[in-house]
Amino acid sequence: MLEAKLAEAGTLKKLLDSIKELVTDANFECNEEGLNLQAMDNSHVALVAVHLEAAGFKRYRCDRPMPLGVNLSSLTKVLKCAKDDDECTLKAADEADVLNLVYEAKNSDRIAEYDMKLMDIDSDTLGIPDTDYDAEIKMPSAEFARIVRDLSALGESVRIEVSKEGVRFASEGESANGSILLKKEGEIPPVKTDKERKAEKARARGEKPEEDEDEENDGDDEKPKEKKVKKEKVKKEKDADEDVEMDEDEKDEEEFKPNSDDEGEKSEPEEEDDEEEESGKKRKKKANGSSKPAKKAKTAKGKGKAKKEEENQPYFEFGMNSHVSLTFSLKYLVNFSKSTSLTNMVELRMSNEVPLLVDYDFGQGFVRYYLAPKIGDE
Amino acid sequence: MLEAKLAEAGTLKKLLDSIKELVTDANFECNEEGLNLQAMDNSHVALVAVHLEAAGFKRYRCDRPMPLGVNLSSLTKVLKCAKDDDECTLKAADEADVLNLVYEAKNSDRIAEYDMKLMDIDSDTLGIPDTDYDAEIKMPSAEFARIVRDLSALGESVRIEVSKEGVRFASEGESANGSILLKKEGEIPPVKTDKERKAEKARARGEKPEEDEDEENDGDDEKPKEKKVKKEKVKKEKDADEDVEMDEDEKDEEEFKPNSDDEGEKSEPEEEDDEEEESGKKRKKKANGSSKPAKKAKTAKGKGKAKKEEENQPYFEFGMNSHVSLTFSLKYLVNFSKSTSLTNMVELRMSNEVPLLVDYDFGQGFVRYYLAPKIGDE
DNA sequence: GCTGACCGGT
DNA sequence: ACCGGTCAGC
């Protein structure tokens, strides 16, 4: 059975609001690490992956993995009955066909309880491989929303180009063309390694970065990535690393491949997904450990953290291993940007010919969108 | 070529919002003095005239006059991509078929650039003569907007009547009639002369009225208008005055005549344009003199300036030379009042049988609407 | 049938 | 104040 108590129902409300237009029905996969939802959008063009980590709940218990087939508009309706600051407890018995939601107003005797019918949904749970990207942009989510909204008034598509000058969003329309350049002062560093990403997250979460230094010691600034930095790193790790868990994450990753070179990075998943997405079991520890320094560091990172400062202070941060230029449907990006209310930062990760990852990482989990680039002049 | 940098894109956005419903395509005529747009509304009933003076730009350069044929809804779209406080630079090459707009966020590395297609538009640039009116009402723009909106709920037309009791807006509808009276305390002075208008503008702009007196001396108020009040005052001044600049504004006034007695007022324009638009050289000083007491007083004005105080403090101000009563379509007036966001004051100028002038004068230019009165019971 | 304007709700 | 939905006009 599942019993998960969220401190603020508002979190769930915002989450549902941001994806309900894209997906109408989906399974919430519950396991000891948290809740996960993965689904193609209704027109099967984009993929949405949501994760709420167990640690983000005030109380979390899930005896064994179970899927909860939810109609998102029903859930949205039921959630509207909660105030944003109500505590919200989700409960489902093992073979239940209903999800029980209890809202407890803070400092009050009001308790509302709802039972929402569940449904059976074929979940072709697509594996989403952890891939390395050639470019990444971390920026204020409101800024991203603004850019795609502006450009969507002009045309259907946007070309996102990461080059030495910075990041350019360009769109062509019948009556006007638009181009927005986010200039990067100074050199654009290579993209961060998964490890670095983890460390930052841990820091953002308030964990002690005991080993900041050691990263560097390890020669974290390393040698740089020729191309896809990450991969390289991957390889290395792979060699020296424990490949043990690679299978865990790998199993179903064939469906939606953000990147064609996933074979190599199996080992990585541990870091990235560890914490938030799937297995998380053992991985977790290491992941947290922003500390596992040496090995990871060597490949490519070197920069990110410096500007990391406040997770709450919007800022820009770019990483680039090679020039990237991709074209996407603005309609989807505009839709993705509904997640802006979840967190004030968004991260875009891209490699040529590979689906774009738009990542909204909020404290207790994330919403990630994958969107394949347009090819040619479609 | 044209290159004009506006400190706040918001100014242009508001301007476009206020006229785009009335006019869909129009030429922005650029010359060294600024940008001008003149167009009949789509149903050819009203005339809109917009002016943005060169001095209102942070930087302004226009090598030689050129028309920019703009589709206003395209421009509106493109402007929506600017934040109100972005700096906005308009650029067009000499024979360009695109207008380039660059938005620079203050304090940021974000630069957005748009190219909007231009079109060829037959511009029958109508001359708008500077005319004298028998009545003028300066009032808070929000008040005007409220009045026409309220009355438009009752009927199609409004009769605007300026008499000794003040200004009355009256409308008759099927189920109700409405009448709003703006009472004038004390005598209603004659309308202001152009010169006085100029002076006020200069003052509002913060120019020093060093020469209050001297105005009177030079008889700067020129000779103008024989007819309406202005004339009166005019006459007096006329004698003593220089007629030098009279020609400047007159040139093309045949097309749309708000007033039939334009012949006489040639000299006035100077003041108006002097300071902000064109020459500004000498006129300026005299204009400023809010103090020019003696002479002016005699003819007709004598009042206006007193309440002039803050350009930002809404107030009422009436001027009347003779009783005026005109009927207008409320639909248009409601539409005109979209310009309320540009400035908190609006000025109505009227003479019997002549198109009403609704003038929204904001710091960096103006939007003026001309609407012919309804005749008989149409 | 499509685009634009107006009104109401969040 | 902004966005979405509905209604009217072209």
Side-chain angles (χ1 to χ4, degrees), chain B residues 263-276:
Chain B
E263 355 73 27
E265 40 275 16
K266 318 254 172 176
S267 46
E268 302 185 330
E270 45 140 33
E271 294 206 355
E272 191 150 278
D273 301 48
D274 271 357
E275 321 204 318
E276 31 218 78

Side-chain angles (χ1 to χ4, degrees), chain B residues 139-358:
Chain B
M139 64 192 291
S141 53
E143 189 74 25
F144 176 64
R146 174 70 199 236
I147 289 171
V148 297
R149 192 161 28 85
D150 284 353
L151 293 180
S152 70
L154 306 181
E156 305 266 298
S157 315
V158 61
R159 180 169 49 82
I160 304 181
E161 185 175 4
V162 185
S163 66
K164 287 186 187 127
E165 67 174 351
V167 182
R168 179 181 300 279
F169 295 80
S171 189
E172 298 181 1
E174 302 199 347
S175 54
N177 297 335
S179 169
I180 295 155
L181 172 65
L182 303 177
K183 283 194 290 190
K184 178 53 180 158
E185 70 297 346
E187 271 296 282
I188 295 182
V191 300
K192 287 174 289 197
T193 60
D194 279 346
K195 180 219 174 131
E196 294 171 306
R197 305 176 75 79
K198 285 347 192 164
E200 287 181 0
K201 261 180 145 176
R203 246 173 291 130
R205 218 173 293 123
E207 298 169 10
K208 311 298 172 21
E210 323 114 6
E211 318 209 14
D212 298 7
E213 309 328 326
D214 88 275
E215 288 193 355
E216 294 147 23
N217 307 334
D218 358 342
D220 58 337
D221 326 293
E222 47 297 275
K223 39 20 159 348
K225 8 359 234 341
E226 9 296 28
K227 247 195 15 202
K228 326 283 172 148
V229 177
K230 274 184 171 184
K231 313 159 159 212
E232 295 204 276
K233 160 191 175 188
V234 174
K235 290 176 188 169
K236 307 182 174 186
E237 303 187 334
K238 203 202 263 199
D239 314 326
D241 230 308
E242 66 263 321
D243 293 337
V244 259
E245 47 270 37
M246 48 145 58
D247 306 334
E248 313 189 333
D249 297 42
E250 314 309 301
K251 21 196 172 180
D252 45 2
E253 63 192 72
E254 292 326 305
E255 276 263 41
F256 191 93
K257 308 188 85 182
N259 196 322
S260 45
D261 35 325
D262 1 311
E263 355 73 27
E265 40 275 16
K266 318 254 172 176
S267 46
E268 302 185 330
E270 45 140 33
E271 294 206 355
E272 191 150 278
D273 301 48
D274 271 357
E275 321 204 318
E276 31 218 78
E277 304 181 81
E278 347 191 324
S279 42
K281 325 104 209 253
K282 59 224 164 175
R283 267 34 188 114
K284 209 161 279 187
K285 319 117 174 284
K286 33 165 76 179
N288 302 328
S290 40
S291 36
K292 51 208 161 171
K295 186 185 0 178
K296 303 275 177 170
K298 34 179 151 179
T299 52
K301 94 201 358 296
K303 138 287 180 89
K305 54 203 53 206
K307 46 188 15 175
K308 220 43 186 324
E309 48 255 18
E310 299 267 355
E311 202 62 26
N312 296 320
Q313 298 267 86
Y315 58 93
F316 288 90
E317 183 174 325
F318 304 116
M320 179 184 78
N321 297 330
S322 62
H323 181 278
V324 172
S325 177
L326 292 163
T327 299
F328 302 98
S329 158
L330 278 162
K331 173 183 152 200
Y332 284 92
L333 299 184
V334 168
N335 208 316
F336 298 167
S337 70
K338 286 187 175 170
S339 291
T340 298
S341 59
L342 284 167
T343 169
N344 59 6
M345 295 297 291
V346 63
E347 188 159 351
L348 310 182
R349 302 179 67 192
M350 294 174 286
S351 287
N352 287 321
E353 326 269 300
V354 161
L356 160 72
L357 164 56
V358 181

Side-chain angles (χ1 to χ4, degrees), chain A residues 143 146-147 150-151 153-154 168 173-185, chain B residues 13 74 77-84 86 108-117:
Chain A
E143 188 76 22
R146 172 75 198 228
I147 289 170
D150 282 355
L151 293 180
L154 305 181
R168 182 181 297 279
E174 303 201 344
S175 57
N177 297 334
S179 167
I180 294 154
L181 173 64
L182 303 177
K183 285 194 288 191
K184 180 51 181 162
E185 68 297 346
Chain B
K13 294 174 71 170
S74 295
K77 265 185 204 161
V78 172
L79 284 171
K80 277 203 200 310
C81 302
K83 291 174 150 170
D84 282 0
D86 282 349
S108 128
D109 290 330
R110 178 173 177 279
I111 294 188
E113 183 167 356
Y114 296 84
D115 282 316
M116 187 190 66
K117 287 195 183 59

Side-chain angles (χ1 to χ4, degrees), chain A residues 255-268:
Chain A
E255 276 262 43
F256 192 93
K257 309 188 86 184
N259 196 321
S260 47
D261 35 323
D262 0 312
E263 355 74 28
E265 40 270 17
K266 317 251 173 179
S267 45
E268 299 186 333

